Amino acid sequence: MSPSLRSSNTFFKVETRFGEKIPRWELKLVFILYFSRAIEIVYVRRIYDLYMSRFGKRMRRYLATWSDSFIEEFNEDAHRRFLEEYIPDLYRTLEWGYAFDDDKSLGAFLFVFHSYKPVSEPNKSSFCRFEFPHDCDQDEIQAFVLEVAAMAPFTSGTCGYVLQPWPDDVEAFDHMYSVCQRYWGVEAWNQDVTVNWLANRFKCISWLTLLGTSILQEFPDLHPAASRAAHAYRELPTGAMYQTRPRAALIDLNRREDFRPEARLARALLPAQIVKHGSFGGNRWTDENSVQWLHRFTPD
């Protein structure tokens, strides 16, 4: 655990819901890729195979994303059914996505892929999301990010710290608001809202920011500027990845921690960033201050 994270334990303490073991909010490392349309099944299969080859032994349960509880045990039989039945049948029934996790209430590994129906759920960005404990090996995560991103034609993506609130818990979203005002390296989070606003744009700067080919083609000057502004970058068959610093950082404004690396990259990528976004939720977030927070590194 980094010194700044260790010194912030009380601020990032995990609170559970009403005496349950379910956390109301939790600091995690999250990698997410967004897609402008339903993810083609061939790409779902490739990403699924890669994830299971790296982390599959940890997985203990799964569910379809239209459900709201993990009710199925993930084992060799379930894995075989996914390969032989579920993935080939994807999008033909109610199942437009699945989630897998290791059945831990805190520090869980989680993999979700979900596509939105183009007729009944138009203009939403489909996604693959991967959650890791906040103290997970960042070199391993970065290598995984590059492999996954090279597999499918994504629109945008990010990887970094996220304060994940429990859905529909007003106090959790209010706590997220306080954290994000002080710690600019922690991403504000409500994926159900964000998927409505992305189109061919990206959400905000993170430790790793990924832009797909469609964005780079629309803004041809972005890549030269961003590659100069980034700590490091990688060109991919599907786009590019820009890194702000060697390791993800909380960026504690109370301790005057440096955010110039993020500001340099944010300025370079600003033309492709979203300019509208709904409230993240709770009592303290509004549409206006949610957008302001997304542009915190480029306030002018």
Side-chain angles (χ1 to χ4, degrees):
M1 186 182 295
S2 69
S4 60
L5 187 58
R6 189 161 48 239
S7 66
S8 306
N9 271 344
T10 56
F11 203 71
F12 285 106
K13 67 181 179 180
V14 175
E15 290 197 8
T16 56
R17 286 169 51 84
F18 315 117
E20 303 170 4
K21 294 182 179 180
I22 301 172
R24 302 184 73 173
W25 54 72
E26 182 183 8
L27 183 71
K28 301 192 80 173
L29 278 166
V30 175
F31 163 42
I32 183 164
L33 278 183
Y34 293 104
F35 302 82
S36 60
R37 58 181 63 89
I39 312 165
E40 293 185 30
I41 294 175
V42 63
Y43 300 134
V44 171
R45 173 62 190 266
R46 290 175 186 173
I47 294 169
Y48 174 87
D49 285 344
L50 176 62
Y51 186 85
M52 291 304 166
S53 70
R54 292 283 187 88
F55 308 107
K57 291 182 179 179
R58 298 177 179 271
M59 298 299 100
R60 296 292 180 267
R61 57 184 187 169
Y62 72 100
L63 83 163
T65 50
W66 59 264
S67 180
D68 62 358
S69 62
F70 285 91
I71 58 174
E72 299 288 347
E73 179 182 357
F74 190 76
N75 50 33
E76 286 298 324
D77 288 339
H79 174 61
R80 187 162 49 251
R81 286 197 299 274
F82 263 90
L83 298 180
E84 297 175 357
E85 300 175 29
Y86 293 179
I87 290 180
D89 203 38
L90 196 64
Y91 309 146
R92 296 180 180 180
T93 62
L94 287 175
E95 284 77 15
W96 280 60
Y98 287 91
F100 309 81
D101 82 348
D102 56 7
D103 198 15
K104 292 183 178 180
S105 57
L106 297 173
F109 283 74
L110 182 140
F111 164 38
V112 184
F113 64 86
H114 181 77
S115 291
Y116 290 96
K117 303 175 180 66
V119 175
S120 59
E121 302 172 298
N123 304 318
K124 291 178 179 283
S125 294
S126 301
F127 63 87
C128 288
R129 186 172 91 239
F130 310 87
E131 298 182 12
F132 305 91
H134 65 74
D135 55 355
C136 195
D137 186 321
Q138 293 187 14
D139 289 333
E140 182 180 12
I141 292 176
Q142 184 171 352
F144 177 73
V145 167
L146 291 169
E147 284 194 65
V148 172
M151 286 184 165
F154 64 93
T155 304
S156 66
T158 59
C159 180
Y161 286 127
V162 167
L163 190 75
Q164 191 174 70
W166 185 259
D168 303 321
D169 186 332
V170 170
E171 186 176 338
F173 280 91
D174 291 347
H175 179 77
M176 182 179 72
Y177 179 89
S178 298
V179 169
C180 289
Q181 304 312 304
R182 173 177 171 180
Y183 296 91
W184 279 13
V186 180
E187 187 172 341
W189 185 255
N190 189 332
Q191 191 172 339
D192 290 340
V193 175
T194 297
V195 295
N196 296 297
W197 297 96
L198 289 173
N200 201 41
R201 298 292 185 270
F202 79 99
K203 178 186 174 185
C204 66
I205 295 296
S206 190
W207 171 50
L208 307 178
T209 304
L210 298 101
L211 301 186
T213 300
S214 61
I215 292 181
L216 295 178
Q217 288 177 341
E218 183 176 348
F219 299 95
D221 294 333
L222 282 187
H223 180 65
S227 60
R228 292 191 298 268
H231 164 77
Y233 73 95
R234 288 284 297 273
E235 296 182 6
L236 304 167
T238 51
M241 184 277 289
Y242 306 98
Q243 182 176 354
T244 57
R245 56 180 75 217
R247 294 288 181 272
L250 298 176
I251 313 179
D252 185 350
L253 298 191
N254 284 4
R255 294 174 177 269
R256 298 186 178 182
E257 292 180 351
D258 186 12
F259 58 82
R260 285 175 295 179
E262 287 70 23
R264 285 193 295 268
L265 185 58
R267 285 193 294 270
L269 296 181
L270 183 59
Q273 188 176 2
I274 59 175
V275 296
K276 294 182 179 180
H277 193 282
S279 165
F280 284 111
N283 292 318
R284 305 183 70 183
W285 290 105
T286 66
D287 293 359
E288 182 179 6
N289 66 30
S290 295
V291 173
Q292 289 173 347
W293 185 86
L294 292 174
H295 288 264
R296 62 202 181 278
F297 297 115
T298 54
D300 299 327

